[in-house]
Amino acid sequence: MVSKQLLLAEDDELLGSLLRFRLQKVGYEVAHVTDGKQVKEHLGEDIPDIIVSDIMMPYFSGIELIDYVRNELDSKVPIIIISSAGNEENVLSAFELGANDFISKPVSPSELLVRVARELNKT
Amino acid sequence: MKKRDLLEEIDSLRFQLNNLSFDTVDASEANALLNRFRKLTDSAANATKEQTPDLDLKDRDEQPNVSQTDHETGLQVVAQVSHEIRTPLNGIIGFTELLGESMLNEAQMAHVSAIQSASNSLMEIINELLEYAKLATGNISFETIDFNLSSAIKDIDFLCQTLIVADRVTLKTHIDPTIPEFLLGDPAKLGQILLNLLGNAVKFVKQGDISLHVSLKEKTEKIVWLTFVVSDQGIGIREEELPYIFDRYRQVGNSESTAGGTGLGLSIVKKLIDHQKGNIAVSSVFGKGTTFTFELPFSISTAGTVLEQPTKSAIERELLNGLVVLVFEDNTLNQRLIAERLNKWNCKTFVTDDFHQGMGFLQENVVDIVLMDLKMPNMDGFEISKNIRQHGTTRISEVPIIALTADFTVKDKKKSELAGMNGYLLKPYRPEALFKILLENTTPMEKNKDFDNYNGTMANGQDVEAHFTLDDIMSDCMNDVSLLEELIRLYKQNAIEFIGAAKIHLEQSNFKGLEFALHKMKSGLAMMKTYSLHAIVTEMHTCCKAEKDLKHLNYLYQSFLEEYPLVENQIEMALTSIKQQKS
């Protein structure tokens, strides 16, 4: 089976490293980027099977990312948003723009794995 | 309409509601939905009336030829209708509430209120139907609890004030001060009676006064009889119609009336009062107004005070902060609604409709409480609860479980107790009710991890040292020591960068810069579960957002500097001990 490609956009390296490790461990091919510029570059080359993105990122927020993917790229790739507590407005707008799911910080890697698998099962 | 047609109609409505999104709903569509629901509930009422000439227990006794099965089928339809509609409607109401709290422009705000009022009237209709079915079968219980009469009346007054749309209508309440402050009885049922009567008045009166007077009729050592008078200056009721006013399905002045509803309101009121051995009378002058007078007995409470629970959002956040909640819920609308609600309170939430996913989460996380929808497609809430209770690990088998349900009968209650559930919450619920049940069913120790640790550290550094462990993060790393070491390296690097950046930002009073640095630091601290530092940074973040109190920020920064070496030391020690275990 070809492993699923996952784009992880998380500017916090600590959290990012942990999540990348756990996702790779269960067989995803993970590209980890730490800011919005890199996200755009990456999406320019290829659209992954699923995107996991923090809301707060330098240059290009998670919200803008959803808008970009849904409207500019016109892609229905599942997007899971990572939000910090106290940012409910952002989560609402994320859903309105077409995010599929969200998970709030502090992120439990096991929970993220379940959420990712669930979104991929839907498609 | 045949029963099968009715169920089909319900199904199609449910489908529509499930596919509803706020981008597409506007006032006219909401009204169209409302109209469809009215038609549906009318047919439901007719259907049940046809099948069971009388739902009323007393009347039924006088007509022994009505078979029990017919009677039950009729009630089943009513129960089904109410359940099927309440679930999606609950989602709509809750989301509309959330939507109303977000930043909206004027036009959007108007749309939101339109959805709100339409969905609320739908809910009223459904609830009336259900209520009636329950009353008719005697399937309703009255509580005997301590309550504060004047604050109960104040709540009703507030609710009714919100119903008034015409500005030429006033509502006044007056309570006889000689009535004892605390009574024993069923405040919810009293509220229901008053809401019905006052709600009717608000609905029918276009101009003039509506008033509620509560007076003391009789007082013995233990019991008071209260007289409630609800008067309005509305259109009044024709003399020939007065005798039928408490009958079912009858809305006085049918042809000219435009007010919505099932027409069950007053017969519900009558039944509620009869059940409590009270009495009600009506008098009216057509064209001038109507007066309802009812009398109810209450016991005098011996409890000196009744607890009130004012909930302020700041306190709420603090109290439930970090609570880990597992929610079993299959309706996607409700899934999102409850997750967003809980996140507002800083709870850590995982929502699923799948038994195995839920169990996986329970195994990998220390869950404080489980909220359980009872009706789910694959395995229902009772079954899942039984399985949780039979789990081999005590931490899992003893987790508090609260049932979430749109309809909870006495039978369900017994079943849920047998399944080991700890309580229930009826949908639709107010945020306050959810908050209260979370608070009641979890222990304060678990809820205030951050806060307690913060205080513990400030008071006594050694205390926390003994508790600190890297075990959680280690299991997140799947016992990979090299990854753990890498994370600790990044953690230290983050902290050093933060210490430097924060110093500069504080010197320059650069709140924006500081806020960004704090944000960056916060998630790492939470991840490593270094709560003492996390609490300091969280407080700094709050101060920083308000862009004030530089002095306090400096003080907190100093605390961070003092605390950090201690924490780093704890981490090193914990790491060493993990490495020793490994080798």
Side-chain angles (χ1 to χ4, degrees):
Chain A
M1 200 183 92
V2 183
S3 58
K4 295 274 187 191
Q5 297 195 346
L6 184 146
L7 176 63
L8 174 65
E10 170 58 66
D11 62 332
D12 180 355
E13 281 182 64
L14 194 59
L15 178 60
S17 313
L18 176 62
L19 296 182
R20 184 186 58 211
F21 170 83
R22 286 295 296 273
L23 288 161
Q24 279 170 344
K25 194 109 181 163
V26 292
Y28 295 107
E29 199 181 320
V30 181
H32 178 197
V33 296
T34 53
D35 70 50
K37 277 183 188 165
Q38 294 174 32
V39 169
K40 261 191 167 170
E41 280 166 24
H42 197 88
L43 288 172
E45 285 166 25
D46 200 359
I47 294 183
D49 296 300
I50 186 164
I51 299 173
V52 176
S53 171
D54 196 353
I55 282 192
M56 291 256 277
M57 272 189 308
Y59 305 119
F60 193 58
S61 79
I63 300 289
E64 287 168 290
L65 166 72
I66 303 167
D67 188 42
Y68 179 73
V69 171
R70 292 286 182 259
N71 296 322
E72 296 274 322
L73 301 180
D74 197 23
S75 158
K76 291 197 167 58
V77 55
I79 302 175
I80 299 177
I81 283 295
I82 302 174
S83 82
S84 359
N87 266 328
E88 289 73 24
E89 285 83 345
N90 280 338
V91 173
L92 276 182
S93 18
F95 273 122
E96 266 165 22
L97 285 169
N100 299 68
D101 199 0
F102 82 105
I103 182 166
S104 62
K105 287 183 186 175
V107 177
S108 145
S110 314
E111 186 188 336
L112 182 70
L113 291 182
V114 173
R115 286 182 186 276
V116 167
R118 192 172 68 172
E119 286 310 319
L120 286 172
N121 280 337
K122 283 183 192 165
T123 52
Chain B
M1 199 185 252
K2 292 256 167 57
K3 200 173 98 190
R4 206 184 47 204
D5 298 338
L6 194 65
L7 294 179
E8 267 169 23
E9 173 80 344
I10 292 165
D11 248 10
S12 103
L13 269 171
R14 184 175 54 168
F15 179 76
Q16 281 189 11
L17 283 173
N18 273 331
N19 287 301
L20 221 115
S21 97
F22 290 111
D23 303 333
T24 53
V25 162
D26 61 22
S28 66
E29 276 169 316
N31 272 326
L33 264 176
L34 176 60
N35 284 332
R36 271 196 83 177
F37 266 113
R38 286 217 178 115
K39 247 199 254 157
L40 175 67
T41 44
D42 284 351
S43 342
N46 283 332
T48 51
K49 202 158 57 162
E50 278 157 22
Q51 284 170 6
T52 59
D54 258 304
L55 292 172
D56 188 297
L57 260 191
K58 262 194 239 154
D59 294 353
R60 197 160 58 87
D61 290 341
E62 288 155 16
Q63 299 179 336
N65 55 339
V66 177
S67 80
Q68 183 68 24
T69 28
D70 269 0
H71 179 65
E72 274 177 2
T73 321
L75 290 171
Q76 234 176 331
V77 175
V78 175
Q80 176 115 17
V81 169
S82 93
H83 179 77
E84 294 290 331
I85 297 174
R86 275 218 297 194
T87 307
L89 196 53
N90 171 37
I92 295 181
I93 289 177
F95 264 101
T96 314
E97 208 162 274
L98 278 171
L99 201 62
E101 285 170 21
S102 56
M103 301 279 280
L104 297 174
N105 64 33
E106 223 168 285
Q108 289 168 324
M109 206 63 210
H111 289 169
V112 168
S113 357
I115 301 173
Q116 237 162 1
S117 76
S119 47
N120 282 335
S121 25
L122 270 180
M123 190 56 93
E124 261 170 51
I125 295 172
I126 301 308
N127 284 342
E128 267 185 15
L129 267 174
L130 183 68
E131 192 65 33
Y132 187 82
K134 280 185 179 162
L135 274 168
T137 48
N139 204 348
I140 197 152
S141 55
F142 286 80
E143 279 191 301
T144 317
I145 55 172
D146 293 309
F147 72 103
N148 181 330
L149 180 73
S150 60
S151 70
I153 301 281
K154 228 180 263 169
D155 286 350
I156 308 287
D157 178 70
F158 176 79
L159 274 167
C160 291
Q161 300 282 1
T162 63
L163 292 173
I164 299 177
V165 278
D167 36 335
R168 284 171 305 176
V169 174
T170 60
L171 169 63
K172 292 195 183 93
T173 54
H174 177 264
I175 305 173
D176 183 345
T178 60
I179 299 173
E181 204 180 343
F182 296 105
L183 301 175
L184 207 58
D186 194 327
K189 297 289 189 303
L190 175 64
Q192 208 181 343
I193 295 167
L194 288 171
L195 261 178
N196 246 307
L197 295 176
L198 289 168
N200 261 344
V202 170
K203 208 151 58 178
F204 288 109
V205 176
K206 302 275 178 293
Q207 183 177 1
D209 297 335
I210 300 167
S211 69
L212 163 66
H213 277 263
V214 190
S215 55
L216 189 62
K217 187 199 167 207
E218 218 182 294
K219 186 180 171 201
T220 67
E221 201 184 322
K222 284 183 180 155
I223 289 176
V224 283
W225 274 86
L226 302 183
T227 308
F228 298 80
V229 182
V230 177
S231 321
D232 69 58
Q233 300 179 327
I235 49 174
I237 302 160
R238 283 180 215 277
E239 207 184 327
E240 61 268 28
E241 284 169 333
L242 274 177
Y244 309 108
I245 186 121
F246 296 113
D247 287 358
R248 281 164 294 125
Y249 310 125
R250 195 181 282 264
Q251 217 168 60
V252 171
N254 253 338
S255 50
E256 44 207 279
S257 157
T258 51
T262 52
L264 290 172
L266 285 177
S267 57
I268 289 174
V269 165
K270 175 94 165 61
K271 283 201 195 308
L272 285 172
I273 292 171
D274 287 348
H275 273 288
Q276 297 177 84
K277 307 204 165 41
N279 57 72
I280 183 164
V282 59
S283 68
S284 182
V285 178
F286 186 66
K288 288 267 165 71
T290 308
T291 300
F292 287 94
T293 308
F294 67 93
E295 295 171 341
L296 280 180
F298 291 94
S299 303
I300 298 168
S301 165
T302 46
T305 51
V306 178
L307 283 177
E308 308 265 343
Q309 287 103 351
T311 46
K312 291 265 169 294
S313 66
I315 303 171
E316 286 174 1
R317 279 171 172 270
E318 197 57 62
L319 284 173
L320 297 182
N321 194 4
L323 197 73
V324 182
V325 187
L326 169 63
V327 185
F328 284 94
E329 166 73 64
D330 65 313
N331 182 297
T332 44
L333 214 58
N334 283 337
Q335 281 188 351
R336 270 171 55 185
L337 176 65
I338 196 159
E340 282 173 31
R341 220 0 112 184
L342 292 170
N343 278 324
K344 264 198 175 206
W345 292 325
N346 288 345
C347 296
K348 199 163 149 20
T349 315
F350 182 64
V351 188
T352 179
D353 61 352
D354 182 88
F355 169 66
H356 297 288
Q357 284 187 357
M359 287 314 273
F361 186 77
L362 273 169
Q363 264 151 19
E364 291 190 28
N365 297 273
V366 179
V367 174
D368 294 309
I369 189 165
V370 177
L371 299 176
M372 181 78 67
D373 185 13
L374 290 179
K375 294 187 181 164
M376 277 185 298
N378 297 324
M379 192 190 272
D380 73 19
F382 299 115
E383 281 300 307
I384 297 179
S385 302
K386 270 185 215 158
N387 274 293
I388 292 176
R389 288 290 174 253
Q390 283 160 7
H391 197 276
T393 315
T394 335
R395 170 172 72 75
I396 295 174
S397 66
E398 284 179 6
V399 67
I401 305 175
I402 302 297
L404 290 179
T405 170
D407 185 21
F408 202 70
T409 62
V410 180
K411 213 173 96 196
D412 288 336
K413 193 169 176 198
K414 286 217 183 81
K415 240 173 117 183
S416 74
E417 280 164 6
L418 280 177
M421 303 173 94
N422 304 64
Y424 67 94
L425 185 60
L426 212 58
K427 296 180 195 173
Y429 44 81
R430 310 277 315 157
E432 294 86 335
L434 176 62
F435 180 78
K436 200 168 149 240
I437 208 150
L438 289 174
L439 204 60
E440 283 170 353
N441 287 282
T442 50
T443 54
M445 269 282 284
E446 287 165 359
K447 271 170 295 198
N448 277 324
K449 281 171 207 147
D450 291 30
F451 194 64
D452 284 347
N453 272 346
Y454 179 36
N455 282 349
T457 323
M458 294 321 242
N460 180 353
Q462 273 79 40
D463 221 354
V464 176
E465 210 169 316
H467 294 291
F468 184 82
T469 155
L470 284 172
D471 290 356
D472 286 340
I473 184 87
M474 187 60 178
S475 80
D476 277 345
C477 291
M478 303 190 77
N479 294 324
D480 184 328
V481 177
S482 63
L483 176 67
L484 182 66
E485 279 179 316
E486 166 72 2
L487 292 180
I488 291 172
R489 189 188 63 76
L490 284 165
Y491 173 83
K492 285 185 194 162
Q493 190 184 315
N494 271 356
I496 287 160
E497 275 173 23
F498 168 75
I499 289 171
K503 189 171 193 290
I504 295 166
H505 293 316
L506 278 169
E507 277 167 9
Q508 297 173 346
S509 310
N510 177 357
F511 288 108
K512 280 269 164 290
L514 183 57
E515 201 186 319
F516 188 71
L518 286 163
H519 170 77
K520 212 171 161 216
M521 191 65 214
K522 223 163 102 178
S523 76
L525 293 172
M527 210 173 114
M528 300 298 277
K529 300 200 165 49
T530 43
Y531 292 118
S532 57
L533 293 176
H534 187 261
I536 296 174
V537 166
T538 304
E539 203 183 334
M540 285 182 84
H541 204 194
T542 314
C543 272
C544 203
K545 272 189 181 157
E547 303 211 347
K548 58 178 187 197
D549 216 343
L550 206 58
K551 203 174 147 198
H552 189 51
L553 275 172
N554 270 307
Y555 167 75
L556 289 168
Y557 177 68
Q558 288 306 318
S559 314
F560 187 95
L561 290 184
E562 281 167 27
E563 186 68 21
Y564 180 72
L566 296 174
V567 172
E568 196 178 302
N569 196 22
Q570 287 166 8
I571 293 177
E572 289 298 341
M573 277 163 53
L575 180 62
T576 315
S577 105
I578 282 177
K579 279 184 179 165
Q580 278 166 357
Q581 279 168 29
K582 277 261 165 184
S583 59

